[in-house]
Amino acid sequence: MVLEYIVSKASEENFVTVVGGYWLMPPPSSKVRRLAIQSGDCKRGSGTDSMNLSHVRSLTMFGDLSQLPSNSFKFGIVQVLDLQGCKGFKQHHTKELCNMLLIKYLSLRKTDINKLPKKIGKLQYLETLDIRETNVTKLPRSVCQLERVANILGGNKRTRKALKLPAEDVKKTIKSPWGKEATKESGGKKTMKTLRILSGIEIVGESTEEGDFHHLTDLRKLAIYKLNVRRGDKPFENLISSIEYLGGYSLHTLIIDDVSSEFLESLGDLSSPPKFLKSLELSGKLVELPRWITQLEELTKLTLSVTVLRTDNLRSISQLKKLFSLTFSLSGSKPDPQSTAILEENKNYSDGEILVPAGGFENLKLLRFSAPLLPLLSFQEKAMPSLERLELRFRIFEGLFGMQNLEILKEVHLRVNYRAGEVTKSIVQNVATQVKKEATKSVATEANKENVASATNKEGTEFIIENVTLEANEATAAMKEATTSTVENVATEGNKENVTTDTNKENVATAEKKEVKGPIIIVDQYYD
């Protein structure tokens, strides 16, 4: 209802024109500037034939590209083209894209495009290129001609499919009219100095120029989904030097998935760590944390391999005062022998379990674990005092203790692989039951506190009344003082018992009406 009103109002104001789908909008009386075409009835899609589309600046498509107007890619002034999730991408669509010379934003995310056209370098005003979750695995060299491009988004974070950058600058030997030879650069990635986001790339050591990003001084996010370089190689040294150099500029987000973990281990040797990072993700068979991680005072989001999960490492991470989200993850549907061995060794540091220490983690609200195998976890008293949400995703789970020590925990989400064994399923059931018991126990404790406080108040009141009565009777019935006191004491004790019993009943009834305190438990399955 609300959405329908918003769309209707937007159409009236000529802010956006919606065609197809569930919307039956009257044709615009003026020029169409922002057009959204939704899949559905093909007859509705033909409604664009009667529209003046020569002034369209923004075009968003949902569904199949076969429903696009025949001249959609020929709009000379389109600046925003969003085709996310569209299917039916043909070769002629790819060629026509290169004629949209004023385009600034191009999203081909989740489409079935396989290759970017070589002439994409003609789009001199392009600022954002989004080709995430597509089959595009390599950028053409002409991308380096995009002088205004600020955001290049590629690869697939879930599958770690990565995007290969253009090769290094190529120098050609040419002859001058006087017969002298000279060299001329044919262009390369070092021309893209305006980049702010470079995400989903791979560095595999195929050229000596790989990993060199010193010229990208405006870079805010660098996400490497596939890294496979060796110590001593030029790309290895380039990347180490680049991270150290860019860390002193505007680099706020760093994501590295290292195949061998050799590079991750060397990060601890940085003489000048990236102190301005707000988000850091290090994936691989990492065991030791970089020594400088406690110096990242601005860090709010941290993702690490589950292989680094160890009590002493948790104690170091707990010093990060602004940390809001902490994730331990490991890719794969089942535990590999190397990761299993590392986790077993980590547990030996603290008597067969991973202890979450008390103190620190002042602002941590979200804690996630996502791995085929999760070791036994135990939260000590006063551990993670601000934690509100706990998520665990696993196939094999060894147990969870100390949940009652997470004082303000609101939600626990247990996601179990559909191929999990009976032992793991039994542990999950026990954890859920234990959390519910702790919640009930918490309510009972609160009720007992109320009982004691109420009974104490009433006892005090009766004691005062009793003393006043004795003092009033003392002048006129001194001889009966002992007997009266005895009778009053007996009556008072009886009244106290009755009052206490009534109070207990009232508070128990009140406690039953209260909602059970404690976290919400959500248990579900996931598929690979």
mmCIF file of all heavy atoms in Angstrom, residues 200-243:
data_model
loop_
_atom_site.group_PDB
_atom_site.id
_atom_site.type_symbol
_atom_site.label_atom_id
_atom_site.label_comp_id
_atom_site.label_asym_id
_atom_site.label_seq_id
_atom_site.Cartn_x
_atom_site.Cartn_y
_atom_site.Cartn_z
ATOM 1 N N GLY A 200 37.544 -7.152 -5.476
ATOM 2 C CA GLY A 200 37.346 -8.440 -6.132
ATOM 3 C C GLY A 200 38.423 -8.825 -7.113
ATOM 4 O O GLY A 200 38.175 -9.597 -8.040
ATOM 5 N N ILE A 201 39.645 -8.363 -6.911
ATOM 6 C CA ILE A 201 40.721 -8.620 -7.871
ATOM 7 C C ILE A 201 41.568 -9.821 -7.441
ATOM 8 O O ILE A 201 41.461 -10.312 -6.312
ATOM 9 C CB ILE A 201 41.619 -7.386 -8.045
ATOM 10 C CG1 ILE A 201 42.364 -7.074 -6.731
ATOM 11 C CG2 ILE A 201 40.802 -6.202 -8.509
ATOM 12 C CD1 ILE A 201 43.445 -6.023 -6.876
ATOM 13 N N GLU A 202 42.429 -10.261 -8.364
ATOM 14 C CA GLU A 202 43.391 -11.319 -8.054
ATOM 15 C C GLU A 202 44.800 -10.839 -8.344
ATOM 16 O O GLU A 202 45.037 -10.012 -9.233
ATOM 17 C CB GLU A 202 43.091 -12.581 -8.868
ATOM 18 C CG GLU A 202 43.400 -12.469 -10.358
ATOM 19 C CD GLU A 202 43.256 -13.807 -11.073
ATOM 20 O OE1 GLU A 202 42.466 -14.643 -10.620
ATOM 21 O OE2 GLU A 202 43.958 -13.997 -12.086
ATOM 22 N N ILE A 203 45.742 -11.353 -7.559
ATOM 23 C CA ILE A 203 47.167 -11.107 -7.779
ATOM 24 C C ILE A 203 47.853 -12.456 -7.653
ATOM 25 O O ILE A 203 47.936 -13.027 -6.556
ATOM 26 C CB ILE A 203 47.743 -10.108 -6.750
ATOM 27 C CG1 ILE A 203 47.009 -8.773 -6.851
ATOM 28 C CG2 ILE A 203 49.240 -9.909 -6.962
ATOM 29 C CD1 ILE A 203 47.436 -7.761 -5.793
ATOM 30 N N VAL A 204 48.328 -12.977 -8.767
ATOM 31 C CA VAL A 204 48.887 -14.325 -8.778
ATOM 32 C C VAL A 204 50.321 -14.372 -9.287
ATOM 33 O O VAL A 204 50.849 -15.437 -9.610
ATOM 34 C CB VAL A 204 47.999 -15.275 -9.615
ATOM 35 C CG1 VAL A 204 46.656 -15.477 -8.932
ATOM 36 C CG2 VAL A 204 47.800 -14.733 -11.022
ATOM 37 N N GLY A 205 50.951 -13.215 -9.387
ATOM 38 C CA GLY A 205 52.367 -13.179 -9.723
ATOM 39 C C GLY A 205 52.702 -13.465 -11.166
ATOM 40 O O GLY A 205 53.782 -13.986 -11.458
ATOM 41 N N GLU A 206 51.810 -13.116 -12.090
ATOM 42 C CA GLU A 206 52.073 -13.382 -13.497
ATOM 43 C C GLU A 206 52.944 -12.318 -14.153
ATOM 44 O O GLU A 206 53.469 -12.529 -15.229
ATOM 45 C CB GLU A 206 50.754 -13.515 -14.261
ATOM 46 C CG GLU A 206 49.954 -14.750 -13.868
ATOM 47 C CD GLU A 206 48.701 -14.902 -14.694
ATOM 48 O OE1 GLU A 206 48.406 -13.984 -15.488
ATOM 49 O OE2 GLU A 206 48.012 -15.934 -14.563
ATOM 50 N N SER A 207 53.052 -11.142 -13.506
ATOM 51 C CA SER A 207 53.906 -10.095 -14.054
ATOM 52 C C SER A 207 54.585 -9.366 -12.909
ATOM 53 O O SER A 207 54.114 -9.381 -11.770
ATOM 54 C CB SER A 207 53.097 -9.102 -14.910
ATOM 55 O OG SER A 207 52.270 -8.308 -14.084
ATOM 56 N N THR A 208 55.657 -8.705 -13.211
ATOM 57 C CA THR A 208 56.436 -8.020 -12.182
ATOM 58 C C THR A 208 55.756 -6.760 -11.670
ATOM 59 O O THR A 208 56.126 -6.241 -10.621
ATOM 60 C CB THR A 208 57.827 -7.654 -12.735
ATOM 61 O OG1 THR A 208 57.670 -6.833 -13.900
ATOM 62 C CG2 THR A 208 58.616 -8.900 -13.081
ATOM 63 N N GLU A 209 54.755 -6.265 -12.425
ATOM 64 C CA GLU A 209 54.067 -5.039 -12.017
ATOM 65 C C GLU A 209 52.857 -5.299 -11.128
ATOM 66 O O GLU A 209 52.282 -4.368 -10.573
ATOM 67 C CB GLU A 209 53.611 -4.258 -13.262
ATOM 68 C CG GLU A 209 54.753 -3.760 -14.124
ATOM 69 C CD GLU A 209 55.603 -2.738 -13.380
ATOM 70 O OE1 GLU A 209 55.040 -1.925 -12.630
ATOM 71 O OE2 GLU A 209 56.833 -2.760 -13.553
ATOM 72 N N GLU A 210 52.467 -6.549 -10.962
ATOM 73 C CA GLU A 210 51.302 -6.863 -10.137
ATOM 74 C C GLU A 210 51.525 -6.425 -8.691
ATOM 75 O O GLU A 210 52.620 -6.543 -8.144
ATOM 76 C CB GLU A 210 51.010 -8.359 -10.168
ATOM 77 C CG GLU A 210 50.206 -8.806 -11.365
ATOM 78 C CD GLU A 210 49.739 -10.235 -11.218
ATOM 79 O OE1 GLU A 210 50.600 -11.138 -11.267
ATOM 80 O OE2 GLU A 210 48.534 -10.462 -11.051
ATOM 81 N N GLY A 211 50.465 -5.952 -8.080
ATOM 82 C CA GLY A 211 50.526 -5.569 -6.670
ATOM 83 C C GLY A 211 51.049 -4.175 -6.420
ATOM 84 O O GLY A 211 51.137 -3.748 -5.262
ATOM 85 N N ASP A 212 51.394 -3.450 -7.473
ATOM 86 C CA ASP A 212 51.926 -2.095 -7.309
ATOM 87 C C ASP A 212 50.779 -1.086 -7.399
ATOM 88 O O ASP A 212 50.258 -0.798 -8.468
ATOM 89 C CB ASP A 212 52.968 -1.805 -8.393
ATOM 90 C CG ASP A 212 53.642 -0.456 -8.185
ATOM 91 O OD1 ASP A 212 53.314 0.225 -7.185
ATOM 92 O OD2 ASP A 212 54.487 -0.077 -9.016
ATOM 93 N N PHE A 213 50.386 -0.536 -6.229
ATOM 94 C CA PHE A 213 49.289 0.425 -6.174
ATOM 95 C C PHE A 213 49.718 1.755 -5.561
ATOM 96 O O PHE A 213 48.878 2.502 -5.054
ATOM 97 C CB PHE A 213 48.131 -0.166 -5.352
ATOM 98 C CG PHE A 213 47.610 -1.474 -5.882
ATOM 99 C CD1 PHE A 213 47.744 -2.636 -5.131
ATOM 100 C CD2 PHE A 213 47.010 -1.544 -7.126
ATOM 101 C CE1 PHE A 213 47.262 -3.845 -5.603
ATOM 102 C CE2 PHE A 213 46.528 -2.750 -7.610
ATOM 103 C CZ PHE A 213 46.656 -3.913 -6.855
ATOM 104 N N HIS A 214 50.990 2.048 -5.618
ATOM 105 C CA HIS A 214 51.490 3.278 -5.005
ATOM 106 C C HIS A 214 50.840 4.532 -5.585
ATOM 107 O O HIS A 214 50.699 5.551 -4.890
ATOM 108 C CB HIS A 214 53.013 3.368 -5.179
ATOM 109 C CG HIS A 214 53.772 2.398 -4.342
ATOM 110 N ND1 HIS A 214 53.916 1.078 -4.695
ATOM 111 C CD2 HIS A 214 54.427 2.554 -3.160
ATOM 112 C CE1 HIS A 214 54.648 0.455 -3.776
ATOM 113 N NE2 HIS A 214 54.962 1.327 -2.828
ATOM 114 N N HIS A 215 50.443 4.474 -6.854
ATOM 115 C CA HIS A 215 49.885 5.646 -7.517
ATOM 116 C C HIS A 215 48.434 5.911 -7.140
ATOM 117 O O HIS A 215 47.898 6.982 -7.422
ATOM 118 C CB HIS A 215 49.985 5.471 -9.039
ATOM 119 C CG HIS A 215 49.275 4.258 -9.549
ATOM 120 N ND1 HIS A 215 49.673 2.968 -9.257
ATOM 121 C CD2 HIS A 215 48.167 4.135 -10.336
ATOM 122 C CE1 HIS A 215 48.865 2.110 -9.828
ATOM 123 N NE2 HIS A 215 47.947 2.788 -10.489
ATOM 124 N N LEU A 216 47.775 4.959 -6.470
ATOM 125 C CA LEU A 216 46.360 5.105 -6.110
ATOM 126 C C LEU A 216 46.227 5.731 -4.726
ATOM 127 O O LEU A 216 45.733 5.112 -3.776
ATOM 128 C CB LEU A 216 45.659 3.747 -6.162
ATOM 129 C CG LEU A 216 45.724 2.996 -7.495
ATOM 130 C CD1 LEU A 216 45.023 1.666 -7.396
ATOM 131 C CD2 LEU A 216 45.137 3.842 -8.618
ATOM 132 N N THR A 217 46.635 6.964 -4.604
ATOM 133 C CA THR A 217 46.670 7.614 -3.287
ATOM 134 C C THR A 217 45.282 7.979 -2.759
ATOM 135 O O THR A 217 45.155 8.332 -1.587
ATOM 136 C CB THR A 217 47.539 8.881 -3.344
ATOM 137 O OG1 THR A 217 47.092 9.711 -4.420
ATOM 138 C CG2 THR A 217 48.998 8.512 -3.565
ATOM 139 N N ASP A 218 44.237 7.892 -3.611
ATOM 140 C CA ASP A 218 42.871 8.152 -3.161
ATOM 141 C C ASP A 218 42.124 6.866 -2.818
ATOM 142 O O ASP A 218 40.940 6.915 -2.456
ATOM 143 C CB ASP A 218 42.079 8.910 -4.234
ATOM 144 C CG ASP A 218 42.553 10.341 -4.392
ATOM 145 O OD1 ASP A 218 43.050 10.902 -3.396
ATOM 146 O OD2 ASP A 218 42.439 10.895 -5.506
ATOM 147 N N LEU A 219 42.808 5.732 -2.907
ATOM 148 C CA LEU A 219 42.151 4.441 -2.701
ATOM 149 C C LEU A 219 41.678 4.293 -1.260
ATOM 150 O O LEU A 219 42.449 4.443 -0.318
ATOM 151 C CB LEU A 219 43.108 3.300 -3.049
ATOM 152 C CG LEU A 219 42.470 1.922 -3.257
ATOM 153 C CD1 LEU A 219 41.557 1.940 -4.479
ATOM 154 C CD2 LEU A 219 43.546 0.847 -3.411
ATOM 155 N N ARG A 220 40.390 3.984 -1.115
ATOM 156 C CA ARG A 220 39.802 3.789 0.214
ATOM 157 C C ARG A 220 39.533 2.324 0.526
ATOM 158 O O ARG A 220 39.531 1.933 1.688
ATOM 159 C CB ARG A 220 38.492 4.576 0.324
ATOM 160 C CG ARG A 220 38.687 6.080 0.234
ATOM 161 C CD ARG A 220 37.388 6.818 0.450
ATOM 162 N NE ARG A 220 37.576 8.259 0.399
ATOM 163 C CZ ARG A 220 36.608 9.149 0.572
ATOM 164 N NH1 ARG A 220 35.379 8.735 0.822
ATOM 165 N NH2 ARG A 220 36.865 10.436 0.502
ATOM 166 N N LYS A 221 39.279 1.542 -0.527
ATOM 167 C CA LYS A 221 39.011 0.115 -0.309
ATOM 168 C C LYS A 221 39.791 -0.719 -1.307
ATOM 169 O O LYS A 221 39.710 -0.502 -2.516
ATOM 170 C CB LYS A 221 37.512 -0.170 -0.458
ATOM 171 C CG LYS A 221 37.169 -1.654 -0.303
ATOM 172 C CD LYS A 221 35.665 -1.893 -0.393
ATOM 173 C CE LYS A 221 35.336 -3.375 -0.249
ATOM 174 N NZ LYS A 221 33.873 -3.628 -0.311
ATOM 175 N N LEU A 222 40.528 -1.698 -0.794
ATOM 176 C CA LEU A 222 41.264 -2.651 -1.613
ATOM 177 C C LEU A 222 40.854 -4.052 -1.173
ATOM 178 O O LEU A 222 41.096 -4.445 -0.031
ATOM 179 C CB LEU A 222 42.767 -2.465 -1.462
ATOM 180 C CG LEU A 222 43.653 -3.467 -2.202
ATOM 181 C CD1 LEU A 222 43.417 -3.398 -3.708
ATOM 182 C CD2 LEU A 222 45.128 -3.243 -1.888
ATOM 183 N N ALA A 223 40.201 -4.783 -2.077
ATOM 184 C CA ALA A 223 39.731 -6.135 -1.768
ATOM 185 C C ALA A 223 40.352 -7.125 -2.747
ATOM 186 O O ALA A 223 40.047 -7.095 -3.942
ATOM 187 C CB ALA A 223 38.213 -6.198 -1.833
ATOM 188 N N ILE A 224 41.222 -7.977 -2.228
ATOM 189 C CA ILE A 224 41.901 -8.993 -3.043
ATOM 190 C C ILE A 224 41.287 -10.344 -2.702
ATOM 191 O O ILE A 224 41.492 -10.881 -1.616
ATOM 192 C CB ILE A 224 43.415 -9.008 -2.754
ATOM 193 C CG1 ILE A 224 43.998 -7.610 -2.979
ATOM 194 C CG2 ILE A 224 44.122 -10.030 -3.636
ATOM 195 C CD1 ILE A 224 45.446 -7.477 -2.525
ATOM 196 N N TYR A 225 40.520 -10.911 -3.650
ATOM 197 C CA TYR A 225 39.818 -12.169 -3.406
ATOM 198 C C TYR A 225 40.690 -13.396 -3.666
ATOM 199 O O TYR A 225 40.342 -14.491 -3.236
ATOM 200 C CB TYR A 225 38.560 -12.257 -4.276
ATOM 201 C CG TYR A 225 37.438 -11.356 -3.833
ATOM 202 C CD1 TYR A 225 36.265 -11.259 -4.574
ATOM 203 C CD2 TYR A 225 37.528 -10.594 -2.663
ATOM 204 C CE1 TYR A 225 35.225 -10.432 -4.173
ATOM 205 C CE2 TYR A 225 36.501 -9.773 -2.257
ATOM 206 C CZ TYR A 225 35.349 -9.693 -3.020
ATOM 207 O OH TYR A 225 34.317 -8.874 -2.625
ATOM 208 N N LYS A 226 41.778 -13.193 -4.376
ATOM 209 C CA LYS A 226 42.679 -14.317 -4.646
ATOM 210 C C LYS A 226 44.109 -13.804 -4.689
ATOM 211 O O LYS A 226 44.472 -13.040 -5.575
ATOM 212 C CB LYS A 226 42.318 -15.003 -5.973
ATOM 213 C CG LYS A 226 43.169 -16.233 -6.261
ATOM 214 C CD LYS A 226 42.758 -16.883 -7.577
ATOM 215 C CE LYS A 226 43.609 -18.101 -7.883
ATOM 216 N NZ LYS A 226 43.239 -18.723 -9.175
ATOM 217 N N LEU A 227 44.898 -14.239 -3.723
ATOM 218 C CA LEU A 227 46.303 -13.833 -3.652
ATOM 219 C C LEU A 227 47.166 -15.078 -3.575
ATOM 220 O O LEU A 227 46.996 -15.919 -2.690
ATOM 221 C CB LEU A 227 46.535 -12.952 -2.419
ATOM 222 C CG LEU A 227 47.979 -12.505 -2.179
ATOM 223 C CD1 LEU A 227 48.455 -11.597 -3.312
ATOM 224 C CD2 LEU A 227 48.102 -11.781 -0.843
ATOM 225 N N ASN A 228 48.075 -15.177 -4.518
ATOM 226 C CA ASN A 228 48.976 -16.340 -4.534
ATOM 227 C C ASN A 228 50.356 -15.889 -5.006
ATOM 228 O O ASN A 228 50.699 -15.995 -6.179
ATOM 229 C CB ASN A 228 48.426 -17.436 -5.445
ATOM 230 C CG ASN A 228 49.184 -18.750 -5.291
ATOM 231 O OD1 ASN A 228 50.019 -18.896 -4.401
ATOM 232 N ND2 ASN A 228 48.887 -19.700 -6.157
ATOM 233 N N VAL A 229 51.093 -15.313 -4.077
ATOM 234 C CA VAL A 229 52.443 -14.835 -4.382
ATOM 235 C C VAL A 229 53.411 -15.391 -3.326
ATOM 236 O O VAL A 229 53.003 -15.744 -2.224
ATOM 237 C CB VAL A 229 52.511 -13.294 -4.396
ATOM 238 C CG1 VAL A 229 51.747 -12.735 -5.577
ATOM 239 C CG2 VAL A 229 51.963 -12.706 -3.095
ATOM 240 N N ARG A 230 54.681 -15.436 -3.690
ATOM 241 C CA ARG A 230 55.695 -16.010 -2.804
ATOM 242 C C ARG A 230 56.682 -14.940 -2.353
ATOM 243 O O ARG A 230 56.977 -13.992 -3.082
ATOM 244 C CB ARG A 230 56.457 -17.133 -3.537
ATOM 245 C CG ARG A 230 55.554 -18.259 -4.012
ATOM 246 C CD ARG A 230 54.955 -19.031 -2.852
ATOM 247 N NE ARG A 230 54.048 -20.075 -3.291
ATOM 248 C CZ ARG A 230 53.378 -20.874 -2.462
ATOM 249 N NH1 ARG A 230 53.537 -20.741 -1.160
ATOM 250 N NH2 ARG A 230 52.551 -21.776 -2.942
ATOM 251 N N ARG A 231 57.172 -15.117 -1.162
ATOM 252 C CA ARG A 231 58.169 -14.200 -0.628
ATOM 253 C C ARG A 231 59.402 -14.164 -1.542
ATOM 254 O O ARG A 231 59.885 -15.203 -1.997
ATOM 255 C CB ARG A 231 58.580 -14.633 0.780
ATOM 256 C CG ARG A 231 59.463 -13.619 1.500
ATOM 257 C CD ARG A 231 59.929 -14.189 2.835
ATOM 258 N NE ARG A 231 58.821 -14.395 3.734
ATOM 259 C CZ ARG A 231 58.338 -13.480 4.568
ATOM 260 N NH1 ARG A 231 58.881 -12.266 4.588
ATOM 261 N NH2 ARG A 231 57.322 -13.763 5.364
ATOM 262 N N GLY A 232 59.868 -12.974 -1.808
ATOM 263 C CA GLY A 232 61.016 -12.809 -2.696
ATOM 264 C C GLY A 232 60.618 -12.431 -4.111
ATOM 265 O O GLY A 232 61.432 -11.869 -4.850
ATOM 266 N N ASP A 233 59.357 -12.738 -4.487
ATOM 267 C CA ASP A 233 58.886 -12.345 -5.814
ATOM 268 C C ASP A 233 58.561 -10.852 -5.837
ATOM 269 O O ASP A 233 58.192 -10.269 -4.819
ATOM 270 C CB ASP A 233 57.642 -13.146 -6.208
ATOM 271 C CG ASP A 233 57.957 -14.624 -6.394
ATOM 272 O OD1 ASP A 233 59.151 -14.951 -6.537
ATOM 273 O OD2 ASP A 233 57.008 -15.430 -6.384
ATOM 274 N N LYS A 234 58.644 -10.255 -7.009
ATOM 275 C CA LYS A 234 58.388 -8.830 -7.151
ATOM 276 C C LYS A 234 56.953 -8.448 -6.761
ATOM 277 O O LYS A 234 56.751 -7.458 -6.040
ATOM 278 C CB LYS A 234 58.684 -8.403 -8.591
ATOM 279 C CG LYS A 234 58.622 -6.910 -8.829
ATOM 280 C CD LYS A 234 59.665 -6.152 -8.020
ATOM 281 C CE LYS A 234 59.653 -4.674 -8.361
ATOM 282 N NZ LYS A 234 60.579 -3.885 -7.521
ATOM 283 N N PRO A 235 55.925 -9.183 -7.202
ATOM 284 C CA PRO A 235 54.557 -8.828 -6.792
ATOM 285 C C PRO A 235 54.370 -8.861 -5.278
ATOM 286 O O PRO A 235 53.614 -8.049 -4.730
ATOM 287 C CB PRO A 235 53.705 -9.900 -7.480
ATOM 288 C CG PRO A 235 54.507 -10.328 -8.660
ATOM 289 C CD PRO A 235 55.925 -10.279 -8.193
ATOM 290 N N PHE A 236 55.044 -9.777 -4.610
ATOM 291 C CA PHE A 236 54.973 -9.875 -3.150
ATOM 292 C C PHE A 236 55.484 -8.587 -2.511
ATOM 293 O O PHE A 236 54.822 -7.982 -1.663
ATOM 294 C CB PHE A 236 55.800 -11.078 -2.689
ATOM 295 C CG PHE A 236 55.663 -11.430 -1.233
ATOM 296 C CD1 PHE A 236 54.884 -12.507 -0.843
ATOM 297 C CD2 PHE A 236 56.305 -10.688 -0.250
ATOM 298 C CE1 PHE A 236 54.755 -12.838 0.507
ATOM 299 C CE2 PHE A 236 56.185 -11.003 1.086
ATOM 300 C CZ PHE A 236 55.403 -12.081 1.466
ATOM 301 N N GLU A 237 56.645 -8.166 -2.950
ATOM 302 C CA GLU A 237 57.245 -6.951 -2.400
ATOM 303 C C GLU A 237 56.441 -5.707 -2.787
ATOM 304 O O GLU A 237 56.291 -4.771 -1.989
ATOM 305 C CB GLU A 237 58.695 -6.815 -2.902
ATOM 306 C CG GLU A 237 59.580 -8.012 -2.570
ATOM 307 C CD GLU A 237 59.656 -8.277 -1.074
ATOM 308 O OE1 GLU A 237 59.569 -7.303 -0.301
ATOM 309 O OE2 GLU A 237 59.778 -9.450 -0.686
ATOM 310 N N ASN A 238 55.888 -5.704 -4.015
ATOM 311 C CA ASN A 238 55.067 -4.565 -4.452
ATOM 312 C C ASN A 238 53.862 -4.363 -3.536
ATOM 313 O O ASN A 238 53.555 -3.241 -3.123
ATOM 314 C CB ASN A 238 54.572 -4.798 -5.883
ATOM 315 C CG ASN A 238 55.655 -4.621 -6.919
ATOM 316 O OD1 ASN A 238 56.695 -4.033 -6.651
ATOM 317 N ND2 ASN A 238 55.417 -5.140 -8.114
ATOM 318 N N LEU A 239 53.190 -5.464 -3.232
ATOM 319 C CA LEU A 239 51.963 -5.374 -2.445
ATOM 320 C C LEU A 239 52.250 -4.970 -0.999
ATOM 321 O O LEU A 239 51.530 -4.138 -0.426
ATOM 322 C CB LEU A 239 51.207 -6.707 -2.495
ATOM 323 C CG LEU A 239 49.814 -6.701 -1.865
ATOM 324 C CD1 LEU A 239 48.932 -5.625 -2.480
ATOM 325 C CD2 LEU A 239 49.161 -8.075 -2.019
ATOM 326 N N ILE A 240 53.279 -5.535 -0.415
ATOM 327 C CA ILE A 240 53.657 -5.169 0.953
ATOM 328 C C ILE A 240 53.953 -3.673 1.033
ATOM 329 O O ILE A 240 53.465 -2.954 1.920
ATOM 330 C CB ILE A 240 54.885 -5.978 1.411
ATOM 331 C CG1 ILE A 240 54.487 -7.395 1.828
ATOM 332 C CG2 ILE A 240 55.600 -5.294 2.567
ATOM 333 C CD1 ILE A 240 53.802 -7.469 3.178
ATOM 334 N N SER A 241 54.732 -3.206 0.073
ATOM 335 C CA SER A 241 55.115 -1.797 0.049
ATOM 336 C C SER A 241 53.903 -0.901 -0.197
ATOM 337 O O SER A 241 53.774 0.173 0.416
ATOM 338 C CB SER A 241 56.174 -1.560 -1.025
ATOM 339 O OG SER A 241 56.525 -0.193 -1.101
ATOM 340 N N SER A 242 52.996 -1.339 -1.074
ATOM 341 C CA SER A 242 51.811 -0.538 -1.395
ATOM 342 C C SER A 242 50.903 -0.387 -0.184
ATOM 343 O O SER A 242 50.382 0.704 0.089
ATOM 344 C CB SER A 242 51.036 -1.175 -2.553
ATOM 345 O OG SER A 242 51.777 -1.141 -3.753
ATOM 346 N N ILE A 243 50.667 -1.477 0.555
ATOM 347 C CA ILE A 243 49.800 -1.418 1.734
ATOM 348 C C ILE A 243 50.397 -0.495 2.787
ATOM 349 O O ILE A 243 49.694 0.313 3.410
ATOM 350 C CB ILE A 243 49.575 -2.839 2.302
ATOM 351 C CG1 ILE A 243 48.745 -3.666 1.323
ATOM 352 C CG2 ILE A 243 48.898 -2.770 3.669
ATOM 353 C CD1 ILE A 243 48.587 -5.110 1.711
#
